[in-house]
Amino acid sequence: MLDPKLVRTRPVEVAEQLKRRGFQLDVSLVESLESRRKEIQVRTQQLQNERKVGSKKFGQLKAKGEDISELKAEMDRLAEEVKKAEAELNEVQAQWQDLMLGVPNIPHESVPEGETEDDNEEIRRWGEPKQLSFEPKDHEALAEKQGWMDFNSAAKLTGSRFIVLRGPIAKLHRALTQFMMNTHANEHDYEEIYVPYIVNDDTLKGTGQLPKFGEDLFKIEHDPDSGKDYYLIPTAEVPVTNMVRDEIVDADQLPMRFVCHSPCFRSEAGSAGRDTRGMIRQHQFDKVELLHIVKPDESFAALEELIGNAEKILQLLELPYRVVSLCGGDLGFGATKTYDIEVWLPGQNKYREISSCSNTLDFQARRMQARWRNPETGKPELLHTLNGSGLAVGRTLIAVLENYQDETGRVHIPKVLQPYMGGLEVIE
């Protein structure tokens, strides 16, 4: 959530900044709600002052034994007026809260101008796509024929956009997960963490998925004990980041760096017809997520470190990739700046996203009331939160299959993964 004071006092400036990401802030609504809030607040304070004066007079008259019936009637009227004014104020504040929950983060000044992914700015490349002497197959053609990817069984068990992995591919999927987790925990100094895969609506509001993106979630009807709705997590970012919700963290606990492997569940609402073949866009997939929770002056340095940690996985796997800075129109809801890593897929003859690393500044922290105590002032201040994939396991599996295939349809195992595969060098 943006700073309400900023939006109230400089709505036109905020609206101009949000245009960079294609969002139209209703300035007239902001000004109308703020005007009403001020008016009702002034009226409420006046009525409360009148009640205070009346209460004092009431006590004095009663002590003297004088007639208080007329004053009592006036006090009752004031009490009713205060009640109405407070209800009006609560209604305006609720409208303001609803408005603010739907406003995205402001793009950082370094974010490229643009409306779609075509306007994203390439930052760097690593590795050169292999020049294959044969027509490369895509991952589906490589694996489904062998029965390693079983879409039919998944459709029978659940429905479309799910998959059953079998045999060596299931083992390779597990090997990739363990390799990523070990690298980040042992070499990049992240704390490994395990979290619930089901969360409540407050948790999803904290990181910005609710209320705006409810249709993208898998909802479980309410828990009979608490009365709350439950949801399957769309990413481990949601539960891990919310661990600091409503907390005041000591400065010596920062920075916090977490790595978490989890399945991710997404309804993919509005993506009909996009990447329906193979494993590119699934309703359920695994991801190794990296989270940084830091002091405000450290967040952009943390973003560079985060993207570097994610890139290291691809470098160790010797998979060519490029890093792009997302333009304003392609930014996620809570991000002020995002880098995407796109890995080379020979079967598609193009780079495809395998990781997004974002700095949200205090956007999520304000929604969660996640703070740290600044030792210089002794006062609580909002934290900054960052998240990124390190990496999406399924897409990394795809990249390994397509980049390490040979003309016979065999898949060679990257050297760093062979210890996790029991020494297996080739899948055939």
Side-chain angles (χ1 to χ4, degrees), residues 311-323:
E311 287 181 71
K312 187 64 177 178
I313 299 297
L314 291 175
Q315 291 170 10
L316 291 170
L317 291 170
E318 299 183 68
L319 293 171
Y321 67 87
R322 67 175 190 163
V323 177

Side-chain angles (χ1 to χ4, degrees), residues 178-414:
Q178 291 175 321
F179 163 65
M180 293 177 195
M181 290 295 293
N182 285 351
T183 301
H184 293 310
N186 299 338
E187 298 180 23
H188 297 159
D189 198 27
Y190 285 84
E191 179 184 348
E192 187 171 342
I193 194 164
Y194 172 85
V195 292
Y197 302 157
I198 297 174
V199 294
N200 57 41
D201 50 5
D202 289 337
T203 300
L204 286 153
K205 287 176 184 174
T207 42
Q209 283 76 18
L210 286 179
K212 192 172 179 62
F213 302 103
E215 65 177 7
D216 294 324
L217 303 169
F218 281 108
K219 184 177 181 180
I220 304 172
E221 293 302 330
H222 78 273
D223 168 35
D225 295 326
S226 67
K228 289 181 175 290
D229 289 327
Y230 278 165
Y231 297 82
L232 299 177
I233 61 170
T235 166
E237 168 203 342
V238 174
V240 177
T241 308
N242 271 272
M243 286 173 57
V244 293
R245 188 175 82 223
D246 298 323
E247 300 284 340
I248 300 176
V249 178
D250 288 335
D252 58 9
Q253 293 179 265
L254 298 173
M256 294 179 170
R257 297 155 53 90
F258 300 113
V259 58
C260 182
H261 162 243
S262 78
C264 305
F265 304 92
R266 300 184 186 179
S267 72
E268 294 290 353
S271 64
R274 294 176 58 200
D275 299 318
T276 54
R277 290 184 68 251
M279 284 183 65
I280 291 290
R281 195 175 296 275
Q282 297 274 287
H283 290 310
Q284 176 185 317
F285 60 94
D286 280 46
K287 186 150 63 81
V288 171
E289 189 77 357
L290 304 175
L291 291 303
H292 288 226
I293 297 168
V294 301
K295 300 173 185 176
D297 61 353
E298 298 175 353
S299 64
F300 279 102
L303 179 61
E304 298 302 323
E305 186 175 11
L306 178 59
I307 189 74
N309 295 151
E311 287 181 71
K312 187 64 177 178
I313 299 297
L314 291 175
Q315 291 170 10
L316 291 170
L317 291 170
E318 299 183 68
L319 293 171
Y321 67 87
R322 67 175 190 163
V323 177
V324 299
S325 179
L326 299 197
C327 69
D330 202 27
L331 283 177
F333 181 74
T336 189
K337 185 178 179 68
T338 297
Y339 292 120
D340 271 7
I341 305 176
E342 299 177 348
V343 69
W344 176 254
L345 298 183
Q348 297 187 31
N349 195 37
K350 66 193 301 185
Y351 288 97
R352 295 300 303 261
E353 178 198 336
I354 198 168
S355 172
S356 274
C357 297
S358 299
N359 186 357
T360 73
L361 300 179
D362 59 10
F363 186 85
Q364 291 179 331
R366 182 172 282 105
R367 296 169 77 107
M368 296 185 299
Q369 280 302 289
R371 295 167 291 171
W372 69 293
R373 192 172 300 281
N374 188 331
E376 295 182 5
T377 63
K379 295 180 180 179
E381 299 177 10
L382 291 170
L383 289 160
H384 280 197
T385 61
L386 303 93
N387 62 81
S389 308
L391 304 161
V393 182
R395 292 198 178 189
T396 311
L397 174 67
I398 291 170
V400 169
L401 292 177
E402 295 194 11
N403 281 277
Y404 281 88
Q405 63 179 297
D406 64 24
E407 65 275 9
T408 68
R410 300 186 306 169
V411 176
H412 298 259
I413 305 299

Side-chain angles (χ1 to χ4, degrees), residues 123-135:
I123 304 298
R124 58 183 171 270
R125 293 191 181 197
W126 186 92
E128 289 294 330
K130 295 176 183 177
Q131 299 300 315
L132 301 178
S133 60
F134 58 93
E135 185 69 27

